[in-house]
């Protein structure tokens, strides 16, 4: 593992992307300049992500690939390692850049899984390890015993679900926040405030939602399979949203969960 790649600020999420659709969208994204792909065992498309990475012609060391351990695969000693090896085999790209626990399984199991993930990281099979959908209490529990600190916590994050205390905790403890569903699964693309801000900065509502997360210090993981949208979602680097407009977006908090919220689990 010779890569020294750092975590790219925008990645492609591939949740619920069907196999061939996933392969094509990853290939298109890589050609457009994306260098960060986020998959998971639960998505059942790791093999397609890996095939696209191999077929892209881009050196492996230049592409960041994240995958995740599904909670039902944590069933006792050795099961986390077995699940990781399956993901590694399906991806077939040599190593994984970031391996996450997909959600906080019950206490004993999640700590057991982390211990195995630390061993995997020490073997060099994954460059980094982290968590997803962890709340503050889950992170406090983990940080109390971890010998390797989680690189990231991946959570649903957008102006309508800001997780302010959790984000502040992560930032205080040097844990990168990754935002999934930054586009609210398209539910809020027509929100009047989002549209108003988009018009003021001459960008699309989707670009404004992604940029809001970036300006909050999060890594953004928008999902699309359409080339035009892939391009649009990636054109978020050469401009900023003024703080006065960020404040308007900050006022939109309403606790909108578009999928699930394991951060509140025991």
């Amino acid at each position: 593992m010779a890569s020294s790649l750092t975590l790219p600020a925008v990645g492609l999420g591939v949740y619920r992307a069907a196999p061939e659709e996933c392969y094509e969208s990853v290939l298109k994204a890589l050609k457009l300049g994306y260098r960060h792909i986020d998959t998971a065992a639960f998505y059942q498309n790791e093999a397609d992500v890996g095939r696209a990475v191999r077929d892209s012609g881009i050196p492996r060391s230049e592409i960041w690939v994240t995958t995740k351990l599904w909670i039902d695969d944590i069933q006792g000693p050795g099961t986390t390692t077995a699940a990781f090896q399956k993901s590694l085999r399906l991806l077939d790209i040599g190593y994984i850049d970031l391996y996450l626990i997909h959600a906080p399984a019950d206490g004993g199991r999640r700590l057991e899984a982390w211990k195995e993930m630390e061993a995997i990281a020490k073997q060099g099979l994954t460059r980094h390890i982290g968590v997803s959908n962890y709340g503050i209490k889950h992170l406090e529990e983990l940080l109390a015993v971890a010998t390797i600190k989680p690189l990231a916590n991946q959570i649903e994050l957008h102006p309508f679900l800001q997780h302010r205390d959790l984000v502040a905790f992560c930032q205080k403890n040097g844990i990168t926040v990754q935002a999934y569903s930054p586009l609210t699964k398209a539910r809020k693309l027509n929100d009047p405030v989002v549209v108003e801000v988009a018009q003021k900065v001459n960008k699309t509502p989707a670009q404004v939602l992604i940029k809001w997360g970036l300006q909050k210090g999060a890594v953004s993981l928008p999902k699309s399979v359409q080339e035009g949208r892939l391009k649009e979602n990636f054109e978020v680097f050469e401009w900023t949203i003024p703080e006065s407009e960020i404040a308007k977006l900050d006022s939109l908090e309403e606790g909108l969960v578009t999928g699930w919220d394991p951060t509140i689990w025991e």
Side-chain angles (χ1 to χ4, degrees):
M1 268 190 329
S3 178
S4 59
L5 186 67
T6 54
L7 180 57
V10 174
L12 174 67
V14 296
Y15 174 58
R16 281 191 173 169
E20 197 58 34
E21 181 182 67
C22 176
Y23 172 78
E24 292 295 339
S25 65
V26 172
L27 261 189
K28 288 172 189 171
L30 291 171
K31 286 176 182 172
L32 287 167
Y34 286 74
R35 292 296 180 267
H36 178 186
I37 310 297
D38 183 271
T39 183
F42 183 71
Y43 303 169
Q44 298 186 325
N45 53 24
E46 289 169 304
D48 309 288
V49 168
R51 183 162 62 97
V53 168
R54 295 193 306 274
D55 290 353
S56 70
I58 299 163
R60 169 69 186 95
S61 61
E62 295 178 14
I63 303 172
W64 183 291
V65 177
T66 296
T67 192
K68 308 178 195 77
L69 167 68
W70 184 236
I71 50 178
D72 290 349
D73 291 334
I74 307 169
Q75 295 292 343
T79 55
T80 292
T81 303
F84 174 85
Q85 291 290 354
K86 182 179 179 182
S87 289
L88 190 64
R89 186 170 65 253
L90 286 168
L91 282 160
D92 193 20
I93 51 176
Y95 61 91
I96 290 165
D97 293 277
L98 176 60
Y99 193 54
L100 305 178
I101 299 180
H102 206 138
D106 60 78
R109 288 198 300 144
R110 61 179 174 252
L111 292 177
E112 184 178 85
W114 187 259
K115 187 175 179 182
E116 287 192 36
M117 287 168 62
E118 289 182 329
I120 291 164
K122 287 170 184 173
Q123 291 169 38
L125 298 172
T126 182
R127 294 178 59 229
H128 303 280
I129 53 177
V131 296
S132 182
N133 295 299
Y134 269 44
I136 292 174
K137 64 185 175 185
H138 307 127
L139 291 170
E140 287 177 333
E141 172 196 77
L142 178 59
L143 291 172
V145 299
T147 60
I148 299 175
K149 188 167 71 173
L151 177 77
N153 184 22
Q154 188 177 126
I155 56 174
E156 180 172 357
L157 189 72
H158 43 70
F160 304 89
L161 182 67
Q162 297 179 32
H163 283 300
R164 290 176 187 171
D165 291 346
L166 176 53
V167 169
F169 181 90
C170 289
Q171 291 174 339
K172 178 183 174 185
N173 286 280
I175 299 168
T176 299
V177 174
Q178 293 185 305
Y180 71 76
S181 299
L183 303 181
T184 69
K185 294 192 173 79
R187 292 186 195 179
K188 294 290 188 176
L189 291 179
N190 294 318
D191 179 87
V193 175
V194 175
V195 170
E196 177 194 337
V197 173
Q199 290 171 342
K200 284 195 176 177
V201 296
N202 197 29
K203 300 296 176 184
T204 67
Q207 288 172 325
V208 163
L209 290 175
I210 293 166
K211 190 66 174 182
W212 175 87
L214 296 179
Q215 288 185 220
K216 292 293 181 180
V219 168
S220 191
L221 300 168
K223 180 207 167 182
S224 182
V225 295
Q226 299 174 16
E227 189 162 3
R229 295 273 172 81
L230 288 166
K231 187 172 186 290
E232 173 188 334
N233 293 347
F234 200 62
E235 292 176 344
V236 290
F237 297 108
E238 304 294 321
W239 53 280
T240 57
I241 302 172
E243 283 305 309
S244 59
E245 303 304 307
I246 289 286
K248 292 177 184 176
L249 296 170
D250 287 349
S251 73
L252 297 175
E253 171 66 63
E254 60 179 64
L256 175 69
V257 176
T258 67
W260 62 339
D261 186 15
T263 65
I264 62 174
W265 291 0
E266 285 305 314

